[in-house]
Amino acid sequence: MTHQPHHLLSGVEPDPARDAGHDDPPPRVGFFTDTSVCIGCKACEVACKEWNAIPEDGLSLTGMSYDNTQGLGASTWRHVAFIEQQAPPRPAPDGAPGPEGRTELPLVAGAPDDRGRQAAAGGELRWLMSSDVCKHCTHAACLDVCPTGSLFRTEFGTVVVQEDICNGCGYCVPACPYGVIEQRPSDGRAFKCTLCYDRLGAGQEPACAKACPTESIQFGPLDELRERAARRVERLHEAGVTEARLYGHDPADGVGGDGAFFLLLDEPEVYGLPPDPVVTTRDLPAMWKHAATAALALAGGFALSFTAPAVFGRGGSGAAGGRR
């Protein structure tokens, strides 16, 4: 059966690797990051830097948080966010005062009543921790705008930058709806997470997932991860964690679904994520169509400006001759 390519700028895209030209690719892989079990240890950040030989990025504390990297960038491909907030009230399943707002590990149950009373009185704070990474979008705008072919889609469905081909034009930076990719000030080239493409080729999992002690970062076939994530959300809802939700898992969203998606315990904006990301090149076909229509109209008007005087001139001469 001949494979029919899909529109790469919008809609559901079931097989991005095959549409990128890979024959008989393996199942698409990705990350599922369960922030409810992230402990903020930063093992993923360290493992990422060590394996990929990423240079240091300042090593200076902000004074505002334990988060010293502040965000993703050319030299930070994994970023652990620390968000301190007032815990939302949550009644215990049995109706008694319970540990409102506490992020519990899957096997942890119960808490002292005095802690529950403090939470009910509004004295409870919580950390929301999340290890952020490049989303490896199904419809990747950075890939769409790259003029050199430095960015390419791998056989695993991920998006990788070839640093030896990047010319530092920077088109990919504003194209990313998540603000992930960045240029290094030292040479202007763009860098981001490769999902450890070299390790995948050797049959190994990415370094960050390998190093995560709580399995907050889970790696595997994307379809399996989505099923696992849906079950995890159901269990959290049954346990009373009704604010648990998935982000970036839907293949019908504005980027065709992310190759790296998340379980969040609050709105995406709290984690610095756009609530409804859309691939920035989605409207390119329509824009080119309108531009072509305008160009044809301009060319037609230009041609008419030369032909119209000749026609009117001939008509005028004939009329004058008739009067004589």
Side-chain angles (χ1 to χ4, degrees):
M1 174 189 268
T2 302
H3 178 71
Q4 298 296 325
H6 296 268
H7 199 299
L8 299 181
L9 298 181
S10 64
V12 176
E13 171 55 67
D15 200 347
R18 192 181 297 274
D19 280 329
H22 296 283
D23 296 328
D24 194 24
R28 185 181 180 186
V29 297
F31 288 127
F32 164 46
T33 301
D34 183 351
T35 68
S36 69
V37 294
C38 179
I39 59 175
C41 67
K42 290 181 176 281
C44 55
E45 285 192 16
V46 175
C48 178
K49 277 188 174 289
E50 287 185 345
W51 179 262
N52 295 290
I54 303 174
E56 58 88 11
D57 47 4
L59 301 178
S60 57
L61 293 173
T62 64
M64 301 297 293
S65 167
Y66 292 110
D67 173 13
N68 63 306
T69 49
Q70 302 182 61
L72 295 171
S75 297
T76 304
W77 299 357
R78 267 283 179 187
H79 164 241
V80 179
F82 289 74
I83 302 158
E84 183 179 346
Q85 64 172 200
Q86 189 78 31
R90 183 192 310 144
D94 60 0
E100 288 89 346
R102 190 180 66 179
T103 300
E104 296 182 351
L105 295 177
L107 299 180
V108 174
D113 288 344
D114 58 339
R115 177 165 180 166
R117 284 192 292 271
Q118 291 174 6
E124 179 95 353
L125 296 175
R126 69 172 179 177
W127 283 109
L128 295 180
M129 299 173 184
S130 174
S131 181
D132 198 8
V133 71
C134 171
K135 313 308 181 291
H136 293 274
C137 308
T138 299
H139 304 309
C142 59
L143 191 156
D144 292 336
V145 302
C146 180
T148 65
S150 171
L151 280 140
F152 73 101
R153 179 83 62 180
T154 75
E155 65 270 30
F156 301 102
T158 59
V159 179
V160 173
V161 183
Q162 300 173 94
E163 58 187 71
D164 57 332
I165 299 178
C166 178
N167 67 354
C169 69
Y171 293 165
C172 56
V173 176
C176 176
Y178 296 101
V180 167
I181 197 165
E182 185 185 54
Q183 295 171 271
R184 282 187 186 156
S186 57
D187 60 11
R189 292 180 298 169
F191 293 85
K192 72 172 191 67
C193 162
T194 66
L195 218 147
C196 285
Y197 183 44
D198 52 345
R199 293 177 64 92
L200 298 187
Q204 299 177 318
E205 65 179 320
C208 57
K210 184 73 173 179
C212 182
T214 64
E215 296 186 357
S216 171
I217 302 172
Q218 301 176 34
F219 166 80
L222 197 55
D223 290 339
E224 294 181 12
L225 292 178
R226 286 170 175 164
E227 293 177 2
R228 188 185 308 169
R231 293 194 299 268
R232 173 63 176 159
V233 170
E234 289 178 4
R235 289 197 298 269
L236 287 174
H237 286 177
E238 291 171 357
V241 189
T242 56
E243 64 269 26
R245 72 204 71 189
L246 295 179
Y247 177 83
H249 67 295
D250 185 2
D253 66 13
V255 295
D258 293 327
F261 65 101
F262 303 80
L263 186 155
L264 305 179
L265 295 177
D266 209 324
E267 298 291 342
E269 300 93 320
V270 173
Y271 296 84
L273 297 169
D276 188 19
V278 174
V279 59
T280 53
T281 52
R282 179 193 61 182
D283 297 323
L284 276 181
M287 292 168 62
W288 281 114
K289 181 179 179 180
H290 293 317
T293 302
L296 288 174
L298 181 62
F302 187 70
L304 185 61
S305 68
F306 282 93
T307 59
V311 173
F312 295 146
R314 286 195 298 270
S317 299
R323 285 194 298 272
R324 287 196 301 269

